[in-house]
Amino acid sequence: MSDVDPAEQLAEWASRGPRYTSYPPATQFAALDAAHVERELATVAERNESVSLYVHVPFCRSLCWYCGCNVIPSRDASAGVSYVDELTTEMALLSRSVHTAPVTEISIGGGSPNFLAPQTMRSLITALDRNFRIAADARRSIELDPRTTTSAQIEVLAAGGFRSLSMGVQDFSEAVQDAIHRHQTKLQTRWLVDLARIAGFDDINVDVVYGLPHQTETTFAKTLDAVIELAPERIALFGYAHLPDRLPHQRLVERAGRVLDGYERATLLLLGIKRLTEAGYLHLGLDHFAKPASRLARAAAEHRMVRTFQGYAEHRADAVLGLGVSAISSTPRMHWQNHTELRAWQHDVERAMLPVARGVSLDNDDRLRRTVIGRLMCDGEVDLGQIGLEYGVDDQTYFDRELTAIGQLGQLATYDATARTIRTTPFGRLLVRNVCMEFDRYHRTAAEAAAASGPQPARFSPTI
Ligand code: SF4
């Protein structure tokens, strides 16, 4: 029997890299002209591509210190009212081009979308329905904060056709909650789950985070057990991304306790996988767990799971169009992001301009690598021969350097030359971002530049 400690091995292999919610990653986005996006929207419409709409609501009543999202702390409900008015203007700008495109999905995220009062939420849903051609069976999902959601909001959402929701828990231990400035009881969480079930929600996700100060195996196991007891369809188990150089408020987490090291993170990750799979959840992709009968598990079994800016999802549309401050859009040909500053976003919307800040157009190499990385992230394997045929390249010649590198990752992935397929090992699946990095030409260039110029502040989160 092997006496190798898997947590130690994981910690040794872990490095830092993109989460591959897009390829090229958002770090490659550069200044972009709104006219460029106008042309791209016209292409989406001409090709009658299906659309998933994402609406970003940036407000939260207080800032959790570990947070990595684009958030505006506020207690002023009127900020939500004017924001929805501005969103409605942005919808009209966007729908000028894509009003005929079939919308197959709507997601509202944040921030905390339940910052919006029930009446304001209703206005937002009405505006979406008026401005876009939303399919009768479009999936509607929202992120909610169990600490501040009301029954009136759940009623509005259920009446508006929402059946999916995602909520954060992170950790139920009081010491951890003190360290991250987020206090949320099991009772509050249970209350929201029960309320949503009664209202007809059939797809609930709960987020849990490992790597936070004061987490131990004992306390984390208790959190996992409490989350399993809630019986959500999906559980996302994220590693804490501590990037204080980019997110200065995270220094407050450091002051409240020691952020866990690689070995401790790996120990909690392995504990989470064991606990959740023993409870009957399937481990999907990198960090998602789903009940076998859930929509996501079915999508994964049918190779219809995709990596999106929100994590893993079932494939429902050709393009994602983002609305709101900092929202990211993605089509088969490009990615772009709205202004991340509220004033800059409002400035453009008020002047009837698409509030685009930056983005990237994908060339053939980007599209090819996006497909390879997407399949690795979702399926843990990729048929390079098939993808080579689709893109008109000889995969073995094109990826000569990458295949040599994969050969050196023996413990993480193997290449079957006959089937022309790369498969991650069970161990390598936990480090699939490391495998993807071998196919990321931007990461390779950046790594070479960093090696020449010495240590830089961390831009990416740890890969476990
Ligand atoms: S509620 Fe969520 S989005 Fe808002 S600050 Fe906390 S972690 Fe960030």
Side-chain angles (χ1 to χ4, degrees):
M1 202 171 112
S2 165
D3 57 359
V4 180
D5 178 351
E8 202 174 307
Q9 275 190 305
L10 270 178
E12 269 171 28
W13 274 98
S15 57
R16 286 180 179 267
R19 297 184 64 82
Y20 294 115
T21 52
S22 74
Y23 182 84
T27 43
Q28 295 305 318
F29 293 6
L32 188 74
D33 185 345
H36 197 134
V37 171
E38 294 277 11
R39 288 194 292 279
E40 180 59 14
L41 292 173
T43 305
V44 169
E46 271 160 35
R47 299 187 178 195
N48 199 32
E49 288 173 342
S50 56
V51 166
S52 168
L53 292 173
Y54 171 73
V55 183
H56 190 77
V57 179
F59 306 104
C60 287
R61 289 170 65 105
S62 70
L63 180 67
C64 308
W65 293 342
Y66 69 95
C67 181
C69 302
N70 192 289
V71 165
I72 301 172
S74 173
R75 295 198 167 240
D76 174 11
S78 71
V81 176
S82 41
Y83 187 71
V84 168
D85 284 345
E86 288 148 359
L87 274 174
T88 306
T89 307
E90 190 188 5
M91 286 178 212
L93 292 171
L94 202 64
S95 72
R96 278 189 311 211
S97 312
V98 295
H99 61 281
T100 56
V103 174
T104 51
E105 183 177 53
I106 296 175
S107 323
I108 306 180
S112 302
N114 59 284
F115 179 86
L116 305 178
Q119 185 56 39
T120 316
M121 254 181 193
R122 190 177 295 122
S123 305
L124 172 59
I125 298 167
T126 305
L128 286 163
D129 284 322
R130 282 205 184 125
N131 280 285
F132 298 98
R133 185 158 74 86
I134 300 173
D137 64 347
R139 199 71 197 160
R140 298 180 182 222
S141 62
I142 189 160
E143 292 171 11
L144 295 173
D145 183 340
R147 300 169 300 167
T148 48
T149 303
T150 65
S151 52
Q153 289 172 319
I154 290 290
E155 271 172 37
V156 167
L157 290 167
F162 283 74
R163 295 292 177 269
S164 276
L165 82 84
S166 180
M167 65 178 85
V169 161
Q170 324 317 352
D171 194 300
F172 278 125
S173 142
E174 218 175 300
V176 178
Q177 294 194 353
D178 284 345
I180 60 174
H181 195 237
R182 181 190 171 100
H183 296 95
Q184 175 177 330
T185 65
K186 288 180 202 163
L187 202 64
Q188 282 171 319
T189 316
R190 163 57 71 192
W191 179 83
L192 180 57
V193 170
D194 290 348
L195 198 67
R197 292 286 186 218
I198 293 165
F201 282 75
D202 59 9
D203 181 45
I204 296 180
N205 173 73
V206 171
D207 291 344
V208 178
V209 170
Y210 65 86
L212 299 167
H214 307 305
Q215 283 180 322
T216 67
E217 286 183 75
T218 310
T219 63
F220 197 56
K222 283 188 186 159
T223 289
L224 291 166
D225 289 348
V227 168
I228 290 165
E229 230 173 87
L230 297 169
E233 278 70 24
R234 293 178 285 130
I235 298 169
L237 181 60
F238 295 125
Y240 169 46
H242 187 61
L243 300 164
D245 291 319
R246 245 181 57 199
L247 303 163
H249 61 265
Q250 289 188 340
R251 296 258 177 244
L252 296 166
V253 177
E254 281 173 3
R255 276 188 221 151
R258 186 180 58 78
V259 174
L260 300 194
D261 65 23
Y263 180 76
E264 292 163 318
R265 288 170 70 95
T267 305
L268 295 187
L269 169 63
L270 292 171
L271 171 70
I273 294 169
K274 184 168 184 295
R275 215 77 173 192
L276 296 177
T277 51
E278 280 175 1
Y281 285 86
L282 300 177
H283 185 184
L284 308 179
L286 176 68
D287 46 20
H288 280 42
F289 296 80
K291 286 186 174 175
S294 66
R295 305 174 69 89
L296 191 67
R298 280 185 276 136
E302 293 160 13
H303 301 279
R304 288 186 295 103
M305 193 166 77
V306 287
R307 187 82 174 141
T308 72
F309 293 106
Q310 276 79 53
Y312 288 101
E314 58 179 322
H315 176 76
R316 295 192 61 89
D318 301 314
V320 177
L321 299 182
L323 291 145
V325 64
S326 78
I328 301 183
S329 302
S330 181
T331 71
R333 296 156 297 277
M334 63 184 291
H335 307 308
W336 69 91
Q337 182 172 31
N338 282 354
H339 291 291
T340 52
E341 296 292 327
L342 183 63
R343 268 311 305 150
W345 175 80
Q346 287 169 327
H347 177 274
D348 281 4
V349 171
E350 281 160 12
R351 280 156 191 76
M353 285 163 57
L354 285 177
V356 177
R358 58 199 194 116
V360 63
S361 289
L362 277 63
D363 62 20
N364 202 49
D365 178 75
D366 291 328
R367 285 195 284 272
L368 171 54
R369 289 173 190 276
R370 171 161 86 164
T371 308
V372 171
I373 288 173
R375 284 347 300 157
L376 278 170
M377 290 296 293
C378 293
D379 301 336
E381 62 178 50
V382 60
D383 182 341
L384 287 184
Q386 179 60 36
I387 291 175
L389 280 177
E390 279 167 33
Y391 285 85
V393 299
D394 178 82
D395 51 299
Q396 287 179 325
T397 314
Y398 199 86
F399 289 124
D400 181 47
R401 193 209 65 83
E402 288 81 355
L403 291 174
T404 305
I406 295 293
Q408 288 157 4
L409 295 179
Q411 213 177 340
L412 305 192
T414 55
Y415 176 58
D416 176 341
T418 311
R420 293 190 157 189
T421 294
I422 294 174
R423 295 188 185 93
T424 53
T425 62
F427 176 73
R429 190 165 153 214
L430 307 181
L431 291 156
V432 65
R433 287 162 66 192
N434 291 58
V435 181
C436 292
M437 279 191 270
E438 297 299 342
F439 286 91
D440 177 348
R441 76 177 151 109
Y442 302 100
H443 191 78
R444 187 169 74 238
T445 311
E448 284 164 4
S453 61
Q456 307 283 319
R459 293 165 76 210
F460 295 114
S461 58
T463 53
I464 60 129

